[in-house]
Amino acid sequence: MNKYTNSFHERANTMADSLILEHYSLSELNFETVSHYRERFARVKPGHPWNGLETKEFLYKIGAWGKLRDSSKEGLTLAGLLMFSEERIITEVLPQYFLEYREYADAKETGWTKRFTSQDGTWSGNVYDFYFRVLAELERHVWSDEGRSILGEALVNALVHADYGEEGGITVEKEDGAFRFANPGRFRIPVEAALAGQMSNLRNPNVFKMFLLIDVCKRAGSGLKRMHDMQERVLVQPVDISQQTNPNRTIVTLCPLLFPAEAGATIETETDEPLQQTEQEWTEQDDRWIEESFVNNEPNSINTSPNSINNELNSMNNVSNSLNNGGDSVKNIGNSVNKLPKSINNEPNSVTNPPNSDSNEANVHDTDGGEEEGKIDERLWKMAELARQKKRLAPAVMEEMIVRLCCERPLRLKELAALLERTPDGLRNNYLGKLLEEGKIRLKYPDQPNHPRQAYIGTGK
């Protein structure tokens, strides 16, 4: 163990990553990493005076370069080495330094399907590049922006709280819908205090500062609290935090909502949040949806044939006081799907009665909705796959899916119903009204609620 490692442990309870490494100069840095950092800094803070500084002075400002006041000596700080150098050089100072990402298809017994480490020689192996490489992998699996955000918080949390002088290294694992972030070292304050948002006793404050300056994380002490506050909306299970000894390690496990293809039974599990409809109600609504869409619209349907019982002069459905013909009739109300000029059940190219179509994707868009709408139907269809696969979804999941669909382009009620395989009334009553009130979606024609081409637009909130 060299003098720098000794110094690191001697200063374990102080600002360890501010330690100045006198004999480590700018030549020890990976300048592609430094360049990437400066480019991101400039995008986040375009008018900042540091953007015009020379490299050494810029690094000094962010805490990556240090100067000894009682002498003329200067050099990289430990934080600068961790963030911007290369694995081989970092391990000269911190022999236990190790970063790893592992991904398993299902059970660990089958082995990992993707893996990279700080030692594989294909990239720099520093902390900064590790963050962005891992984040890209995590974001491939999670469809919710909040889900991606909470994973990013957990990743930064592991990097800024790690004791890089201890054994074990930092590992990030994905397995069966769970993401585990493990780092050497234990929290310096009680977990309960960290979850409550109390000021965190950071082990690597300069590493944290560098991430903070490029908007990768928020203020100190907010990471775990943000994860805790977001868990009911984003996670299938609450945040799990465990701390081990011999060696000291902290492990944070998150189970976010995944993309439909990976969700499996994870998304279908019961949640503490009460479902707005029971499974029987969903089934009954979907059955009615199918019946209304196909039985009443088939060319030889009993309701459309010339001699249909519903077309007879004295038919129950044709008499002046008929339930379906009355002024207050459910079928005749202003917002009724069956009264719209281009009703989902009457439109020639209706999604429920497509003419000679072999694929669902081609039937989602309106015939007069413009060329652009048709171009993205396949993406919309894939985005809504989870709802079609699962009859029971937690309301928060369905709401997030509706908002994301409506952010892609304005969608009419019948289009949402087809994409999600839910009844128009069920969507309107259980989700759309609430999302409109919360401002997460808006009407295309807000001054004309009953406009025949009314659509819902995501607001991005």
Side-chain angles (χ1 to χ4, degrees), residues 10-233:
E10 288 170 4
R11 303 181 61 185
N13 294 317
T14 60
M15 298 172 62
D17 70 346
S18 65
L19 176 67
I20 298 173
L21 309 174
E22 299 175 30
H23 303 291
Y24 285 76
S25 65
L26 296 182
S27 63
E28 317 294 348
L29 299 180
N30 181 298
F31 276 91
E32 287 187 12
T33 305
V34 175
S35 177
H36 187 280
Y37 183 93
R38 295 202 67 168
E39 288 172 3
R40 184 179 178 92
F41 182 93
R43 287 198 304 271
V44 172
K45 305 179 189 302
H48 201 286
W50 294 356
N51 287 321
L53 297 176
E54 295 293 332
T55 299
K56 182 185 290 188
E57 194 62 23
F58 178 83
L59 294 173
Y60 174 75
K61 294 290 188 182
I62 67 172
W65 185 262
K67 301 174 183 179
L68 294 173
R69 294 296 177 187
D70 57 353
S71 70
S72 60
K73 295 180 179 178
E74 54 186 277
L76 287 176
T77 62
L78 191 65
L81 188 81
L82 287 166
M83 287 286 280
F84 302 123
S85 190
E86 297 186 353
E87 185 271 343
R88 181 65 185 88
I89 299 171
I90 296 172
T91 54
E92 290 178 3
V93 179
L94 298 169
Q96 302 294 341
Y97 174 85
F98 182 69
L99 310 174
E100 180 179 25
Y101 174 80
R102 295 193 296 259
E103 193 172 302
Y104 299 91
D106 38 57
K108 282 188 177 180
E109 288 73 16
T110 62
W112 46 264
T113 57
K114 177 171 288 188
R115 178 178 183 257
F116 58 83
T117 77
S118 54
Q119 295 179 344
D120 62 33
T122 60
W123 58 291
S124 68
N126 61 47
V127 167
Y128 179 83
D129 289 342
F130 181 73
Y131 170 81
F132 283 100
R133 284 177 64 94
V134 172
L135 189 66
E137 297 298 334
L138 301 180
E139 290 184 342
R140 288 193 305 107
H141 303 286
V142 182
W143 62 275
S144 161
D145 288 339
E146 285 189 317
R148 293 168 180 164
S149 175
I150 204 172
L151 291 176
E153 292 279 2
L155 178 56
V156 170
N157 183 78
L159 296 172
V160 302
H161 286 286
D163 183 346
Y164 290 98
E166 292 288 347
E167 62 183 84
I170 294 175
T171 60
V172 180
E173 294 180 297
K174 176 195 176 293
E175 179 190 8
D176 288 341
F179 294 84
R180 281 181 290 276
F181 303 82
N183 63 266
R186 294 163 59 90
F187 281 117
R188 291 179 164 184
I189 63 174
V191 173
E192 296 75 15
L195 290 173
Q198 295 184 18
M199 183 61 69
S200 179
N201 186 354
L202 293 172
R203 185 171 276 113
N204 301 290
N206 284 288
V207 171
F208 174 79
K209 175 185 176 181
M210 292 178 209
F211 279 127
L212 184 67
L213 286 170
I214 56 173
D215 283 359
V216 160
C217 55
K218 306 299 180 184
R219 65 176 180 82
S222 67
L224 284 179
K225 185 178 187 302
R226 279 169 53 81
M227 283 187 263
H228 182 264
D229 292 345
M230 295 167 65
Q231 64 184 2
E232 290 186 3
R233 302 193 305 275

Side-chain angles (χ1 to χ4, degrees), residues 448-460:
Q448 303 177 63
N450 299 328
H451 193 287
R453 294 195 58 74
Q454 188 60 272
Y456 299 91
I457 301 173
T459 61

Side-chain angles (χ1 to χ4, degrees), residues 105 141 151 161 193 222 315 318 346 348 365 426-427:
H141 303 286
L151 291 176
H161 286 286
S222 67
S315 165
N318 258 336
N346 288 324
H365 63 87
L427 289 176

Side-chain angles (χ1 to χ4, degrees), residues 394-440:
V397 182
M398 181 65 85
E399 289 170 10
E400 177 73 19
M401 189 175 296
I402 291 171
V403 171
R404 288 180 63 84
L405 288 168
C406 293
C407 283
E408 290 293 317
R409 70 168 173 86
L411 290 172
R412 299 173 67 186
L413 179 61
K414 67 175 185 178
E415 295 177 298
L416 283 169
L419 286 165
L420 300 167
E421 289 188 359
R422 298 293 191 271
T423 65
D425 286 344
L427 289 176
R428 185 192 294 113
N429 297 334
N430 295 316
Y431 301 107
L432 299 178
K434 178 175 180 288
L435 292 173
L436 285 168
E437 289 180 5
E438 294 175 349
K440 295 181 178 179

